[in-house]
Amino acid sequence: DAKTTQPTSMDCAEGRAANLPCNHSTISGNEYVYWYRQIHSQGPQYIIHGLKNNETNEMASLIITEDRKSSTLILPHATLRDTAVYYCIVRGYNDYKLSFGAGTTVTVRA
Amino acid sequence: DARVTQTPRHKVTEMGQEVTMRCQPILGHNTVFWYRQTMMQGLELLAYFRNRAPLDDSGMPKDRFSAEMPDATLATLKIQPSEPRDSAVYFCASGLGGVYNEQYFGPGTRLTVT
Protein backbone atom coordinates (compact mmCIF):
# COMPACT_ATOMS: atom_id res chain seq x y z
CA ASP A 1 0.00 0.00 0.00
CA ALA A 2 1.54 3.24 -1.21
CA LYS A 3 2.15 5.87 1.43
CA THR A 4 2.88 8.61 -1.08
CA THR A 5 1.46 9.80 -4.37
CA GLN A 6 3.54 11.69 -6.90
CA PRO A 7 2.95 12.78 -10.49
CA THR A 8 4.47 10.42 -13.00
CA SER A 9 6.47 13.06 -14.81
CA MET A 10 7.08 16.76 -15.17
CA ASP A 11 9.18 19.08 -17.26
CA CYS A 12 11.06 22.11 -16.07
CA ALA A 13 12.96 24.86 -17.85
CA GLU A 14 16.64 25.22 -17.06
CA GLY A 15 17.27 28.02 -14.60
CA ARG A 16 13.72 28.04 -13.30
CA ALA A 17 12.49 26.62 -10.02
CA ALA A 18 11.15 23.08 -10.12
CA ASN A 19 8.33 22.36 -7.69
CA LEU A 20 7.72 18.67 -7.09
CA PRO A 21 4.53 17.78 -5.23
CA CYS A 22 3.92 14.76 -3.03
CA ASN A 23 0.76 13.66 -1.25
CA HIS A 24 1.02 11.66 1.95
CA SER A 25 -2.42 11.98 3.45
CA THR A 26 -2.02 9.01 5.81
CA ILE A 27 1.23 10.18 7.37
CA SER A 28 1.39 9.69 11.12
CA GLY A 29 2.84 11.99 13.73
CA ASN A 30 6.26 10.37 14.01
CA GLU A 31 6.85 9.84 10.30
CA TYR A 32 9.30 11.92 8.34
CA VAL A 33 9.17 12.94 4.69
CA TYR A 34 12.33 12.06 2.78
CA TRP A 35 13.32 12.91 -0.75
CA TYR A 36 15.82 10.98 -2.82
CA ARG A 37 16.63 11.21 -6.48
CA GLN A 38 18.14 8.82 -8.98
CA ILE A 39 20.03 10.12 -11.94
CA HIS A 40 20.15 7.70 -14.84
CA SER A 41 22.51 4.76 -14.25
CA GLN A 42 23.43 5.92 -10.76
CA GLY A 43 22.40 4.93 -7.28
CA PRO A 44 19.75 6.94 -5.45
CA GLN A 45 20.97 10.11 -3.77
CA TYR A 46 19.62 11.61 -0.57
CA ILE A 47 18.29 15.16 -1.00
CA ILE A 48 16.51 16.31 2.12
CA HIS A 49 14.06 15.29 4.83
CA GLY A 50 11.68 16.95 7.26
CA LEU A 51 9.12 16.30 9.96
CA LYS A 52 6.87 19.35 10.06
CA ASN A 53 9.00 22.42 9.61
CA ASN A 54 10.22 23.64 6.27
CA GLU A 55 13.78 22.64 5.56
CA THR A 56 16.47 23.94 3.24
CA ASN A 57 19.91 22.71 2.34
CA GLU A 58 22.36 23.28 -0.47
CA MET A 59 20.39 21.10 -2.84
CA ALA A 60 16.76 21.94 -2.26
CA SER A 61 13.97 23.20 -0.03
CA LEU A 62 11.20 21.11 1.45
CA ILE A 63 7.86 22.71 2.21
CA ILE A 64 5.47 20.64 4.32
CA THR A 65 1.88 21.74 4.73
CA GLU A 66 0.60 22.47 8.20
CA ASP A 67 -1.57 19.35 8.24
CA ARG A 68 1.43 17.39 6.93
CA LYS A 69 -0.68 15.67 4.30
CA SER A 70 1.41 16.95 1.44
CA SER A 71 4.77 18.47 0.69
CA THR A 72 6.70 20.12 -2.11
CA LEU A 73 10.33 19.71 -3.00
CA ILE A 74 11.75 22.83 -4.57
CA LEU A 75 14.85 22.86 -6.72
CA PRO A 76 15.49 26.61 -6.83
CA HIS A 77 17.42 26.85 -10.09
CA ALA A 78 17.10 23.65 -12.04
CA THR A 79 20.00 22.59 -14.24
CA LEU A 80 20.23 19.87 -16.86
CA ARG A 81 22.04 17.74 -14.27
CA ASP A 82 18.89 17.73 -12.14
CA THR A 83 17.14 15.52 -14.68
CA ALA A 84 16.34 12.42 -12.63
CA VAL A 85 13.62 10.37 -10.97
CA TYR A 86 12.63 11.97 -7.66
CA TYR A 87 11.25 9.82 -4.88
CA CYS A 88 9.15 11.08 -2.00
CA ILE A 89 9.26 8.61 0.89
CA VAL A 90 7.46 8.59 4.22
CA ARG A 91 9.44 6.92 6.92
CA GLY A 92 8.94 6.30 10.60
CA TYR A 93 11.24 7.42 13.36
CA ASN A 94 14.17 5.00 13.42
CA ASP A 95 12.60 2.99 10.61
CA TYR A 96 15.43 1.59 8.53
CA LYS A 97 13.38 0.84 5.45
CA LEU A 98 13.15 3.13 2.44
CA SER A 99 10.11 2.18 0.38
CA PHE A 100 10.66 3.57 -3.09
CA GLY A 101 7.59 4.05 -5.21
CA ALA A 102 7.59 4.95 -8.88
CA GLY A 103 8.68 8.55 -8.25
CA THR A 104 8.43 11.54 -10.53
CA THR A 105 10.55 11.65 -13.65
CA VAL A 106 11.77 15.22 -13.92
CA THR A 107 13.20 16.40 -17.20
CA VAL A 108 14.99 19.74 -17.22
CA ARG A 109 15.02 21.27 -20.68
CA ALA A 110 17.40 23.90 -22.02
CA ASP B 1 34.78 12.47 -0.57
CA ALA B 2 33.59 9.27 1.11
CA ARG B 3 31.62 6.94 -1.15
CA VAL B 4 30.18 3.47 -1.18
CA THR B 5 32.03 1.32 -3.68
CA GLN B 6 30.72 -1.77 -5.42
CA THR B 7 32.40 -4.39 -7.53
CA PRO B 8 32.00 -5.51 -10.18
CA ARG B 9 30.10 -2.74 -11.93
CA HIS B 10 28.88 -5.11 -14.61
CA LYS B 11 28.56 -8.88 -14.62
CA VAL B 12 27.32 -11.17 -17.35
CA THR B 13 27.00 -14.81 -16.46
CA GLU B 14 25.23 -17.94 -17.53
CA MET B 15 22.31 -19.46 -15.73
CA GLY B 16 23.42 -21.76 -12.95
CA GLN B 17 26.67 -19.95 -12.22
CA GLU B 18 27.54 -18.43 -8.87
CA VAL B 19 27.65 -14.65 -8.67
CA THR B 20 29.29 -12.66 -5.89
CA MET B 21 28.85 -8.93 -5.56
CA ARG B 22 30.93 -6.89 -3.15
CA CYS B 23 30.36 -3.62 -1.37
CA GLN B 24 32.63 -1.41 0.68
CA PRO B 25 30.51 0.83 2.90
CA ILE B 26 31.58 4.29 3.92
CA LEU B 27 34.09 4.08 6.76
CA GLY B 28 32.35 4.48 10.08
CA HIS B 29 28.88 3.61 8.84
CA ASN B 30 27.27 0.84 10.87
CA THR B 31 24.29 0.01 8.65
CA VAL B 32 24.45 -1.68 5.26
CA PHE B 33 21.61 -2.34 2.85
CA TRP B 34 21.28 -4.36 -0.32
CA TYR B 35 18.65 -3.32 -2.86
CA ARG B 36 17.66 -4.70 -6.23
CA GLN B 37 16.20 -2.61 -9.02
CA THR B 38 14.29 -3.86 -12.04
CA MET B 39 11.99 -2.10 -14.45
CA MET B 40 9.05 -4.17 -13.29
CA GLN B 41 9.53 -4.07 -9.52
CA GLY B 42 11.47 -0.87 -9.00
CA LEU B 43 13.78 -0.67 -5.99
CA GLU B 44 13.36 -3.46 -3.47
CA LEU B 45 15.16 -3.99 -0.20
CA LEU B 46 16.84 -7.38 -0.07
CA ALA B 47 18.81 -7.26 3.18
CA TYR B 48 19.76 -4.99 6.05
CA PHE B 49 22.74 -5.23 8.38
CA ARG B 50 23.43 -3.28 11.53
CA ASN B 51 26.83 -3.54 13.16
CA ARG B 52 27.53 -6.45 10.76
CA ALA B 53 24.57 -8.46 12.04
CA PRO B 54 21.81 -9.34 9.55
CA LEU B 55 18.59 -7.87 10.88
CA ASP B 56 16.33 -8.27 7.91
CA ASP B 57 16.74 -10.49 4.88
CA SER B 58 13.07 -11.04 4.23
CA GLY B 59 13.36 -9.57 0.74
CA MET B 60 15.81 -12.22 -0.44
CA PRO B 61 14.95 -15.55 -2.05
CA LYS B 62 16.39 -17.72 0.69
CA ASP B 63 17.18 -20.73 -1.40
CA ARG B 64 19.64 -18.98 -3.69
CA PHE B 65 20.63 -15.64 -2.18
CA SER B 66 22.91 -15.04 0.76
CA ALA B 67 24.33 -11.86 2.26
CA GLU B 68 27.19 -11.52 4.69
CA MET B 69 29.50 -8.98 6.26
CA PRO B 70 32.82 -10.69 6.91
CA ASP B 71 34.11 -7.46 8.40
CA ALA B 72 33.09 -3.84 8.76
CA THR B 73 34.63 -2.88 5.43
CA LEU B 74 33.08 -5.57 3.26
CA ALA B 75 29.56 -6.73 2.51
CA THR B 76 28.85 -9.50 0.02
CA LEU B 77 25.76 -10.64 -1.82
CA LYS B 78 25.92 -14.06 -3.37
CA ILE B 79 23.56 -15.78 -5.77
CA GLN B 80 23.93 -19.52 -6.28
CA PRO B 81 22.68 -20.75 -8.67
CA SER B 82 21.84 -17.65 -10.71
CA GLU B 83 18.74 -17.50 -12.89
CA PRO B 84 17.73 -15.15 -15.73
CA ARG B 85 15.10 -13.55 -13.47
CA ASP B 86 17.95 -12.35 -11.22
CA SER B 87 19.02 -9.91 -13.93
CA ALA B 88 18.84 -6.50 -12.33
CA VAL B 89 20.93 -3.70 -10.87
CA TYR B 90 22.01 -4.43 -7.33
CA PHE B 91 22.73 -1.48 -5.07
CA CYS B 92 24.51 -1.40 -1.79
CA ALA B 93 23.90 1.49 0.61
CA SER B 94 25.36 2.40 3.97
CA GLY B 95 24.39 4.75 6.74
CA LEU B 96 24.89 5.74 10.34
CA GLY B 97 21.55 4.47 11.58
CA GLY B 98 19.81 6.38 14.30
CA VAL B 99 17.14 9.00 13.97
CA TYR B 100 17.82 10.31 10.50
CA ASN B 101 19.29 7.20 8.95
CA GLU B 102 20.19 8.71 5.59
CA GLN B 103 21.35 6.05 3.22
CA TYR B 104 24.26 6.56 0.84
CA PHE B 105 24.11 4.41 -2.24
CA GLY B 106 26.85 2.92 -4.30
CA PRO B 107 26.91 2.94 -8.11
CA GLY B 108 25.40 -0.51 -8.37
CA THR B 109 26.28 -3.81 -10.04
CA ARG B 110 24.41 -4.48 -13.26
CA LEU B 111 23.88 -8.24 -13.45
CA THR B 112 22.81 -10.04 -16.59
CA VAL B 113 22.10 -13.76 -16.38
CA THR B 114 21.70 -15.47 -19.75
Side-chain angles (χ1 to χ4, degrees), chain A residues 67-90:
Chain A
D67 64 8
R68 304 211 320 126
K69 293 185 177 183
S70 65
S71 60
T72 301
L73 178 75
I74 301 172
L75 307 177
H77 305 287
T79 71
L80 298 179
R81 289 178 298 178
D82 292 321
T83 292
V85 179
Y86 287 77
Y87 299 97
C88 171
I89 300 166
V90 166

Side-chain angles (χ1 to χ4, degrees), chain B residues 17-95:
Chain B
Q17 296 299 305
E18 178 178 301
V19 175
T20 299
M21 291 169 270
R22 293 176 174 80
C23 166
Q24 182 172 15
I26 294 173
L27 188 64
H29 283 187
N30 65 341
T31 60
V32 172
F33 305 81
W34 283 103
Y35 289 86
R36 175 172 63 183
Q37 186 171 35
T38 62
M39 288 293 293
M40 293 297 293
Q41 300 296 327
L43 270 160
E44 306 171 283
L45 179 67
L46 297 176
Y48 162 56
F49 289 77
R50 185 181 182 93
N51 296 323
R52 296 177 54 202
L55 296 189
D56 184 358
D57 61 1
S58 59
M60 289 200 312
K62 298 292 188 299
D63 56 339
R64 299 183 300 109
F65 284 58
S66 61
E68 295 179 344
M69 280 201 73
D71 61 60
T73 64
L74 177 64
T76 62
L77 179 66
K78 190 173 294 186
I79 307 174
Q80 168 62 20
S82 57
E83 298 181 1
R85 58 180 168 153
D86 300 329
S87 297
V89 181
Y90 291 80
F91 290 104
C92 174
S94 70

Side-chain angles (χ1 to χ4, degrees), chain A residues 52-69:
Chain A
K52 53 184 177 182
N53 297 322
N54 298 337
E55 302 288 345
T56 295
N57 64 19
E58 65 278 4
M59 289 183 68
S61 295
L62 175 60
I63 308 298
I64 302 174
T65 58
E66 194 167 339
D67 64 8
R68 304 211 320 126
K69 293 185 177 183

